[in-house]
Amino acid sequence: MNVELINIHKWFGPVHANDGITLKIPSGVIQGLLGENGAGKSTLMKILSGFYQADEGEIHLDGKPVKIESPADAIRHGVGMLHQDPLDFPPMRVVDNLLIGHQGGLFPNRAEAIRAMQDLQARFGFNIDPYAYVDSLTVGERQQLEIMRLLWLGARVLILDEPTTGISANQKEKLFATLRALAEQGMTVIFVSHKLEEVEELCHRVAVLRQGKLVGETTPPYRTEELVKMMFGKVVLPEDKTHFSSSDPLLRLENLSIEDYRLQIQNVTLTLHRGEVIGLAGMEGSGQRQFLQACAGIIRPVAGEIYLGEKRLTGRPYREFLEAGITYVPAARLEEGLIPGLTLTEHFVLAEPQNGLVVNRQKAAALTAQRIADFSIKGMPASTVESLSGGNQQRALLAMLRQPLNVLLLEHPTRGLDIESAIWIWGKLKERCRQGTGIIFTSADLEEILHYSDRILVFFGGKVSQPIEATKTSVEELGQLIGGKGF
Amino acid sequence: MDTTLIIGIAGILASAGPIVFAAIGETIIERAGVINLSVNGAILLTAMAGFAVGVSTGSVLLGMLAGALIGALVALIVAFASITLKQSQVAVGFVLALLCRDLAYFLGNPYMGLSGPRLPHLPIPGLADIPVLGTIFFQHDLMTYMSFVLIVLAYVYIFRTRPGLMLQGIGERPAAAYVRGANVNLLRYVYTVIGGALIGLAGPMYSLSVKAGWKGTISGLDGIGWIALALTIFGGWNPLRAALGAYFFAFLQWLGLVLQPSLPNIPSQVLQVAPFPLMILTLLLVNIGNAEWVDRTLAGLPERTRHALARVLRAMRTSPPAALGMPFEKE
Ligand SMILES: Nc1ncnc2c1ncn2[C@@H]1O[C@H](COP(=O)(O)OP(=O)(O)OP(=O)(O)O)[C@@H](O)[C@H]1O
Ligand SMILES: [Mg+2]
């Protein structure tokens, strides 16, 4: 289907999120959409898919002007969107997720839905159990489920908003193959991403947004520097690899075993040194999260020992881990890390060691101004955290960490961030390493793991590899390990 | 089987009827993502109003209808305050709970101690004569039969039908329900009002049947609404589990009455009140698997015990609708 967006404007209060965007996408094309955090990509796509309504502008489908007033309208017109965080129902079953919102009689026909699902699975090589609960699926599988649902509903325009942030290299290959096959069948695909390599590999053409405006469109062959310059208005270079690892042991795990109702991690022995960065690779849900939480004292291991220096921490309460200078930063920023509804100032005050009952407003204001400047957060002291863009939420989260810290445990520290913010965040983290902090982090991005880690652990279904020297491996080798080869 | 026991069981089923209605009504409301704390007040107010209408018109059905209408109206206030005005659902519900209770005592004064109509017994021809089962299940009044039907109906609706799936969806993740075509706020209104009507039937079920009459503050109904709320939560937002809880509570109350003659040393008030704390204690035990400290303690146990216990606890684990109490705004 041919899609035309004509002079689209959208305001959120004073923020001009889309500023007169005009974009034509012919049928059968995979259109890339790039732009820094807060550029207005999601807003534009939500307008096309009916989630928001434009304040001004028109949408034409196959040359005809259409009014899209709700997502239901959009899907009637054949436009379906895979949202940045999959909009599904985690505690419900896969087939029920497919059925919710599907038209029909009082009693849904599960058999029919499963048949349709199996057809689609065969077509794209997916393999999801229709009776599984969605919260037991990986992020990649949840995306596959959403894609199947949209196709089943008859989507002919498929919008994917940052679909690759949580999935493995393998799943990404599968996704790309699916999208190419769909485009060949005449489907229009819009692919939003921060990862230039992916956009360059997949897209037939690319549009770049900056501060709500369309700043340019290009076609292959792409020049990466040119794309970066369009996105940020300047050249952004990745930092050189830096290493601050010492031989000074910091966190020691001895034969640690962790259990959870889904998986078991057995007998991990590892020493994290001062200044060292250890990256945890693996598909989402292979045990990395449980491992980090055990190191942080949130989950109690079923066997083994945890020491910080000479201090035995095994089985001690979370508070003692905190006092020992061990901090965990979860991936779900708004659910677990920040408190929606509270302002930046309130967050910084809460994170400070407490003395006295009453908040000293002057001190709080000074502290907040300082942190906002130090971490170049785009936001006001009185901004609530949920009104910040993803990149700025992450900055706020890091700005709340105490000084000094011994061990920093990070889950997906740069998920969803644009390149510039990601580089900036890692600059701050490496600065901590230089001061002696040891870091363990997870990421779905193997390049990131290779670039910033000293050593790497690969997780596969709860099994943990021996530590691998980052200098002695490659993305390909890690990719194989993640898929379970060698376990 | 002993006839007193059989009659006892039949009595438990009947006296749990109103609690079943209230707990399932609340379950439906909370499934839609709205917290309605007004239940206790609504039951008292509708008990009084249902009785008053029953006395004035002589019609029990009109009394029931009045209860449903008033219950729906109270819920509508909660819906309007929380969905449209986006005010705190907890605060609004709580204030309504107190207000409706006082209103019931105040407006009910003229009807204190009057004798009124009662729901007639309707033994089901044929079935009522089956030994044992007939007495237990088929010699009740209309509303008790309805309470059996309601359990099945609510369960099938929520978990088996298309609109029921969407009902789960709007309470779980309204944004996801919205992209699937739901008018989230309209549906929340509808389910809150329906749930409110069901809660509103609980009141007249007491005053026109289970505890017929209106005796003001000594009607013994104060507190039932809080039990219904607790059942909703500890029943894991599942009508079957909530109903089982209601029967258990009715059983405890019955036990108090039966034991009274054989325990002359214990003041009768203690036996009347005991079901409440006992109930809460039971509910806490049933849901112990949800607590984090349990996980931590479990990790320290030997392997065999740990696995066995973990399995039991997981089966009992429940989680609330994720968007419970949160207004839906797409911008
Ligand atoms: N619901 C909202 N309320 C207020 N402001 C909003 C809302 N949604 C987006 N914004 C603002 O609009 C601008 C564009 O946001 P948008 O989410 O479209 O950016 P994006 O390009 O998708 O960024 P990212 O790469 O971080 O996902 C940002 O400044 C953001 O803060
Ligand atoms: Mg976005």
Side-chain angles (χ1 to χ4, degrees):
Chain A
M1 186 144 61
N2 293 304
V3 178
E4 276 175 81
L5 297 161
I6 302 163
N7 193 29
I8 302 287
H9 284 270
K10 179 74 185 176
W11 278 269
F12 291 111
V15 178
H16 203 167
N18 283 172
D19 185 354
I21 296 175
T22 298
L23 187 62
K24 277 188 196 172
I25 309 162
S27 128
V29 156
I30 305 182
Q31 167 80 52
L33 193 58
L34 283 172
E36 60 185 336
N37 289 125
K41 307 178 295 290
S42 297
T43 305
L44 187 66
M45 292 302 105
K46 284 181 179 172
I47 289 173
L48 178 56
S49 67
F51 199 90
Y52 294 151
Q53 280 67 53
D55 294 324
E56 253 179 63
E58 281 183 36
I59 298 172
H60 291 196
L61 294 177
D62 279 338
K64 282 193 270 309
V66 290
K67 275 244 162 307
I68 300 182
E69 307 211 306
S70 69
D73 264 0
I75 203 74
R76 265 194 294 282
H77 284 109
V79 180
M81 172 160 174
L82 179 66
H83 285 257
Q84 202 161 347
D85 36 0
L87 283 180
D88 51 17
F89 304 99
M92 299 173 71
R93 290 180 195 281
V94 165
V95 340
D96 291 345
N97 264 268
L98 277 178
L99 283 166
I100 295 186
H102 191 257
Q103 300 300 313
L106 181 61
F107 291 95
N109 186 341
R110 281 195 170 74
E112 183 204 308
I114 291 172
R115 223 175 304 122
M117 178 176 157
Q118 302 298 25
D119 282 350
L120 286 164
Q121 300 222 72
R123 207 165 119 204
F124 300 117
F126 299 162
N127 187 15
I128 302 175
D129 173 8
Y131 289 105
Y133 287 95
V134 170
D135 55 12
S136 73
L137 303 184
T138 64
V139 177
E141 287 171 326
R142 284 167 68 178
Q143 290 175 346
Q144 293 170 356
L145 175 61
E146 272 295 280
I147 293 177
M148 288 195 282
R149 188 180 70 83
L150 294 171
L151 294 177
W152 189 40
L153 289 174
R156 283 170 295 144
V157 177
L158 195 59
I159 303 168
L160 300 103
D161 195 356
E162 298 192 33
T164 56
T165 40
I167 65 180
S168 70
N170 255 338
Q171 288 176 317
K172 191 162 82 188
E173 282 314 312
K174 197 171 268 181
L175 175 70
F176 284 9
T178 309
L179 296 181
R180 287 197 186 99
L182 288 172
E184 264 163 38
Q185 294 159 18
M187 177 89 85
T188 311
V189 177
I190 309 180
F191 183 80
V192 181
S193 177
H194 287 298
K195 295 181 190 153
L196 296 178
E197 323 85 71
E198 291 173 5
V199 171
E200 290 176 14
E201 179 192 335
L202 180 72
C203 298
H204 300 137
R205 35 196 284 171
V206 172
V208 180
L209 300 188
R210 185 166 78 233
Q211 291 171 358
K213 290 199 178 69
L214 182 75
V215 288
E217 287 181 79
T218 57
T219 47
Y222 302 113
R223 287 188 32 240
T224 308
E225 313 85 77
E226 190 189 312
L227 290 175
V228 170
K229 203 149 173 247
M230 286 206 288
M231 285 169 71
F232 300 102
K234 64 179 182 211
V235 182
V236 178
L237 292 175
E239 303 232 321
D240 290 336
K241 293 190 184 181
T242 49
H243 296 282
F244 300 105
S245 185
S246 66
S247 56
D248 209 357
L250 188 61
L251 185 73
R252 284 190 295 129
L253 312 176
E254 286 174 9
N255 298 316
L256 200 68
S257 297
I258 308 159
E259 233 175 67
D260 155 300
Y261 61 99
R262 269 176 235 154
L263 84 187
Q264 302 182 336
I265 300 173
Q266 259 155 11
N267 280 325
V268 185
T269 299
L270 178 76
T271 305
L272 173 74
H273 301 96
R274 285 211 168 274
E276 188 181 27
V277 178
I278 294 182
L280 309 183
M283 303 236 272
E284 182 110 357
S286 305
Q288 303 96 310
R289 180 184 174 87
Q290 287 82 351
F291 179 78
L292 283 185
Q293 292 192 334
C295 292
I298 295 171
I299 302 183
R300 182 173 159 179
V302 293
E305 300 288 342
I306 303 176
Y307 291 95
L308 185 83
E310 291 310 309
K311 191 174 157 64
R312 180 170 176 273
L313 283 173
T314 323
R316 308 303 304 165
Y318 177 55
R319 187 174 41 79
E320 280 189 36
F321 279 73
L322 273 181
E323 280 162 6
I326 300 178
T327 292
Y328 166 67
V329 183
R333 293 184 280 256
L334 274 184
E335 281 130 51
E336 298 171 71
L338 301 170
I339 311 166
L342 292 195
T343 65
L344 279 176
T345 311
E346 285 161 340
H347 275 85
F348 293 136
V349 169
L350 276 178
E352 280 302 287
Q354 310 201 326
N355 38 12
L357 191 60
V358 183
V359 175
N360 179 337
R361 292 207 168 265
Q362 254 170 343
K363 238 176 94 189
L367 175 80
T368 309
Q370 179 74 41
R371 294 280 167 82
I372 287 182
D374 280 358
F375 286 79
S376 22
I377 300 169
K378 288 193 194 109
M380 297 282 135
S383 308
T384 53
V385 286
E386 69 271 22
S387 72
L388 301 178
S389 85
N392 286 306
Q393 285 172 6
Q394 191 71 355
R395 286 172 194 240
L397 206 50
L398 287 182
M400 279 165 57
L401 298 179
R402 290 187 197 175
Q403 262 320 342
L405 274 178
N406 283 320
V407 179
L408 200 45
L409 305 159
L410 304 158
E411 214 181 4
H412 300 291
T414 64
R415 173 179 282 183
L417 299 197
D418 63 40
I419 331 167
E420 195 199 15
S421 305
I423 292 174
W424 185 90
I425 296 250
W426 270 110
K428 281 277 172 196
L429 293 175
K430 285 287 183 174
E431 179 60 28
R432 294 253 183 188
C433 291
R434 207 171 53 77
Q435 295 163 2
T437 304
I439 293 181
I440 306 181
F441 78 102
T442 66
S443 174
D445 184 349
L446 292 180
E447 304 271 1
E448 181 181 28
I449 289 188
L450 266 182
H451 191 90
Y452 294 105
S453 312
D454 298 297
R455 289 187 294 160
I456 298 166
L457 293 183
V458 181
F459 282 68
F460 176 74
K463 296 197 179 64
V464 185
S465 75
Q466 287 302 312
I468 304 166
E469 295 285 334
T471 46
K472 297 200 180 105
T473 185
S474 63
V475 170
E476 289 71 35
E477 193 187 4
L478 288 177
Q480 304 253 315
L481 282 170
I482 286 172
K485 290 232 174 74
F487 277 95
Chain B
M1 222 195 284
D2 177 18
T3 37
T4 42
L5 185 64
I6 295 173
I7 291 172
I9 295 177
I12 290 170
L13 292 186
S15 69
I19 311 176
V20 167
F21 264 81
I24 290 182
E26 183 69 12
T27 297
I28 291 172
I29 296 177
E30 295 200 3
R31 274 281 175 190
V34 177
I35 302 175
N36 166 33
L37 286 189
S38 69
V39 189
N40 195 54
I43 291 180
L44 282 161
L45 185 60
T46 53
M48 184 282 295
F51 182 71
V53 170
V55 169
S56 320
T57 62
S59 156
V60 280
L61 286 182
L62 282 181
M64 300 304 306
L65 196 67
L69 277 177
I70 290 172
L73 201 70
V74 173
L76 189 65
I77 298 174
V78 174
F80 180 71
S82 61
I83 300 170
T84 303
L85 301 182
K86 305 209 175 358
Q87 293 304 303
S88 159
Q89 310 186 351
V90 171
V92 172
F94 196 71
V95 168
L96 275 174
L98 298 179
L99 183 75
C100 292
R101 185 184 65 175
D102 292 343
L103 214 55
Y105 292 151
F106 172 67
L107 297 177
N109 263 334
Y111 300 94
M112 283 274 273
L114 296 188
S115 66
R118 291 187 64 149
L119 276 171
H121 262 260
L122 284 179
I124 295 183
L127 296 175
D129 303 328
I130 305 173
V132 186
L133 290 185
T135 321
I136 293 180
F137 289 111
F138 302 113
Q139 298 191 9
H140 292 291
D141 60 36
L142 178 69
M143 290 312 287
T144 307
Y145 296 130
M146 295 297 269
S147 71
F148 302 153
V149 175
L150 180 67
I151 298 168
V152 179
L153 218 59
Y155 182 85
V156 171
Y157 184 82
I158 294 176
F159 296 110
R160 293 280 176 272
T161 70
R162 214 179 279 274
L165 288 177
M166 191 60 101
L167 164 61
Q168 292 180 54
I170 58 176
E172 193 57 48
R173 223 155 155 210
Y178 173 66
V179 303
R180 283 163 174 74
N183 185 340
V184 175
N185 286 338
L186 177 68
L187 283 177
R188 284 185 164 179
Y189 259 101
V190 170
Y191 285 118
T192 305
V193 168
I194 291 176
L198 292 176
I199 295 169
L201 285 169
M205 281 172 77
Y206 278 116
S207 60
L208 297 175
S209 165
V210 177
K211 289 187 176 184
W214 177 249
K215 302 190 198 69
T217 48
I218 55 156
S219 300
L221 302 182
D222 199 0
I224 298 283
W226 299 113
I227 291 292
L229 262 170
L231 288 173
T232 305
I233 296 169
F234 293 112
W237 294 269
N238 176 332
L240 276 186
R241 282 178 60 156
L244 279 181
Y247 292 125
F248 183 68
F249 180 72
F251 165 73
L252 289 177
Q253 283 190 314
W254 172 78
L255 212 58
L257 288 178
V258 175
L259 291 182
Q260 207 165 335
S262 46
L263 298 169
N265 300 333
I266 302 180
S268 65
Q269 286 89 337
V270 171
L271 289 174
Q272 270 167 30
V273 174
F276 289 85
L278 270 179
M279 189 68 205
I280 297 294
L281 209 64
T282 317
L283 295 176
L284 286 179
L285 283 177
V286 168
N287 285 270
I288 204 157
N290 286 6
E292 193 197 314
W293 63 266
V294 176
D295 278 345
R296 292 185 74 90
T297 319
L298 222 55
L301 297 176
E303 183 157 343
R304 292 282 280 293
T305 341
R306 186 172 73 223
H307 285 215
L309 274 177
R311 211 163 307 132
V312 174
L313 290 176
R314 198 183 331 142
M316 300 195 307
R317 185 173 284 205
T318 58
S319 63
L324 185 59
M326 288 194 269
F328 171 63
E329 279 172 292
K330 65 193 175 83
E331 290 191 21

